[in-house]
């Protein structure tokens, strides 16, 4: 039984297999309506529980559509409406759900919740975002980069802004797929030390640069994310915005990167905050390809989870 909990916890052969499968499925769907079934009905007869303790548009819709296209059914559950939100233990919830469903995707706060669910579940568990990481997103991002520019190995990725959960998964991916990452942001919002250590111990060059214009020099990929994540204290908004304003991705900054550098954002974006509309809607932006690829890559992840 396999869980998909984080990129650094999954072996590279499996990650590559997932990416190849996602690209294959994407091609075979071309020209079909989104509601049409796949030839591949690997989830036929399967029930997948999608648990959300935080809001979501992409994760919710892409998982739901992916399961349906592969012949399965979904049950979308809000954490607040489950007993999990009213004192039932995660372990007992895992034991109970394992008696009903074939797979669980969860978006939650503490990573400990995800890990406990996985420990006590007899069915595969997929990480749909925690305060610490967002592996499905970064698998879609690696797929998107490969589609546009080929292998990401040896390339320079620049992360601007908050060293948050999405940044942590990028660092895990750097260690797995062999790219280098420069973080440009304020010291108070540096990326997780452990994730930087993981990437470095796997041979990636991980740098911290406080000057955004210096950081983006020679960049192949520029990435940012919201300045205030769902788990952050909303009262810190003004302070964080002041700290992060120098790291906005705008056209001037994009011009300092490689000419064919692409721009990524996991979305939802806050236009004119972390990124300008000019960049979001510009020729180098691949943000909606990333969103689409969530669907294809998650289908491959679910199939991988169910394989012997
Ligand atoms: N990128 C992402 O996970 O989006 P949602 O919060 O809409 O699921
Ligand atoms: N860092 C963001 C990502 C949203 C998909 C958050 O956790 O809110």
């Amino acid at each position: 039984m396999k869980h998909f909990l984080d990129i650094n916890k999954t072996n590279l052969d499996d990650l590559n297999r997932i990416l190849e499968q996602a690209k294959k499925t994407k091609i075979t769907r071309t020209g079909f309506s989104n509601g049409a079934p796949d030839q591949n009905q690997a989830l036929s007869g399967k029930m997948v529980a999608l648990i959300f303790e935080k809001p979501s548009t992409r994760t919710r819709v892409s998982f739901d559509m992916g399961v349906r296209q592969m012949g399965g059914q979904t049950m979308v559950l809000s954490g607040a409406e489950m007993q999990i939100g009213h004192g039932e233990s995660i372990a007992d919830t895992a034991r109970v759900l394992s008696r009903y469903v074939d797979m669980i995707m969860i978006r939650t706060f503490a990573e400990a919740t995800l890990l406990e669910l996985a420990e006590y579940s007899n069915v595969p568990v997929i990480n749909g975002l925690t305060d610490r990481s967002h592996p499905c997103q970064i698998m879609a991002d690696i797929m998107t980069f490969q589609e546009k520019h080929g292998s990401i190995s040896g390339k320079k990725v620049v992360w601007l802004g908050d060293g948050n959960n999405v940044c942590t998964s990028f660092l895990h991916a750097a260690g797995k797929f062999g790219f280098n990452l420069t973080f440009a942001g304020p010291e108070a919002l540096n990326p997780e030390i452990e994730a930087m250590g993981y990437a470095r111990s796997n041979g990636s060059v991980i740098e911290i640069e406080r000057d955004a214009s210096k950081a983006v020099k020679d960049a192949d990929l520029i990435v940012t994310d919201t300045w205030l994540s769902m788990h952050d204290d909303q009262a810190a908004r003004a302070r964080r915005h002041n700290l992060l304003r120098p790291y906005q991705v705008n056209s001037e900054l994009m011009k300092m990167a490689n000419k064919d550098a692409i721009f990524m954002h996991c979305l939802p974006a806050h236009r004119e905050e972390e990124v300008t509309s000019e960049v979001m809607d510009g020729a180098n932006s691949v943000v909606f390809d990333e969103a689409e690829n969530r669907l294809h890559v998650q289908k491959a992840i679910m199939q991988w989870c169910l394989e012997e």
Side-chain angles (χ1 to χ4, degrees):
M1 210 248 313
K2 290 180 280 187
H3 301 303
F4 186 75
L5 300 180
D6 264 319
I7 289 177
N8 61 332
K9 292 180 180 164
T10 311
N11 82 46
L12 182 60
D13 284 347
D14 287 344
L15 295 172
N16 281 328
R17 214 149 49 79
I18 288 167
L19 288 167
E20 288 320 305
Q21 166 77 21
K23 288 177 202 161
K24 233 171 50 195
T25 313
K26 182 174 180 175
I27 290 165
T28 57
R29 286 201 66 80
T30 307
F32 287 85
S33 92
N34 288 327
D38 278 10
Q39 282 172 346
N40 174 354
Q41 292 286 287
L43 296 185
S44 175
K46 304 288 184 193
M47 176 59 78
V48 183
L50 307 175
I51 305 175
F52 289 92
E53 296 197 291
K54 289 174 176 168
S56 167
T57 297
R58 279 141 289 267
T59 305
R60 178 176 171 155
V61 179
S62 58
F63 265 104
D64 202 337
M65 285 308 294
V67 173
R68 292 173 197 226
Q69 289 174 359
M70 294 174 84
Q73 296 187 65
T74 59
M75 194 180 285
V76 181
L77 301 160
S78 137
E81 288 164 5
M82 296 172 70
Q83 300 292 11
I84 207 174
H86 300 274
E88 186 169 20
S89 79
I90 314 294
D92 287 348
T93 304
R95 292 179 180 113
V96 170
L97 289 180
S98 300
R99 303 282 179 111
Y100 298 138
V101 303
D102 300 291
M103 189 157 29
I104 303 167
M105 190 289 311
I106 183 166
R107 164 166 289 192
T108 187
F109 289 88
E111 183 188 43
T113 304
L114 169 80
L115 299 181
E116 191 173 338
L117 195 73
E119 185 179 348
Y120 292 96
S121 171
N122 293 321
V123 299
V125 172
I126 297 175
N127 176 359
L129 179 145
T130 68
D131 296 356
R132 188 175 180 200
S133 66
H134 196 4
C136 291
Q137 178 66 51
I138 279 41
M139 286 297 281
D141 294 351
I142 301 297
M143 175 177 171
T144 307
F145 188 92
Q146 291 174 344
E147 286 176 337
K148 305 288 171 194
H149 280 327
S151 171
I152 196 166
S153 162
K155 296 288 198 287
K156 178 178 174 182
V157 174
V158 179
W159 177 278
L160 287 119
D162 179 16
N164 64 14
N165 47 1
V166 179
C167 181
T168 293
S169 285
F170 252 107
L171 286 163
H172 292 161
K176 280 287 173 186
F177 294 96
F179 58 85
N180 304 319
L181 188 145
T182 299
F183 169 80
E187 188 174 356
L189 301 173
N190 268 356
E192 184 193 280
I193 290 171
E194 200 178 318
M196 289 195 284
Y198 170 79
R200 284 181 180 133
S201 68
N202 281 282
S204 301
V205 179
I206 305 299
E207 289 179 328
I208 293 191
E209 171 60 65
R210 303 290 170 215
D211 181 333
S213 49
K214 280 190 193 148
V216 298
K217 194 173 172 301
D218 300 323
D220 299 295
L221 168 59
I222 300 215
V223 200
T224 192
D225 188 14
T226 178
W227 287 345
L228 201 71
S229 283
M230 292 182 273
H231 60 271
D232 285 325
D233 175 9
Q234 302 302 308
R237 185 182 162 87
R239 187 182 67 85
R240 292 172 71 99
H241 275 227
N242 285 335
L243 282 173
L244 288 159
R245 207 156 286 127
Y247 302 98
Q248 181 194 64
V249 181
N250 51 41
S251 297
E252 290 67 53
L253 203 65
M254 285 300 291
K255 279 188 202 123
M256 295 177 203
N258 281 346
K259 202 167 172 307
D260 60 354
I262 52 180
F263 170 72
M264 288 191 186
H265 190 311
C266 66
L267 307 180
H270 303 80
R271 289 170 178 254
E272 318 315 329
E273 292 183 8
E274 71 270 11
V275 58
T276 60
S277 281
E278 208 179 348
V279 171
M280 274 278 288
D281 302 327
N284 295 1
S285 169
V286 297
V287 297
F288 300 111
D289 297 304
E290 295 173 76
E292 176 183 341
N293 285 339
R294 291 290 302 277
L295 169 70
H296 306 299
V297 93
Q298 288 161 190
K299 285 160 75 174
I301 290 170
M302 289 188 284
Q303 186 169 356
W304 172 82
C305 281
L306 289 175
E307 279 165 10
E308 288 304 311

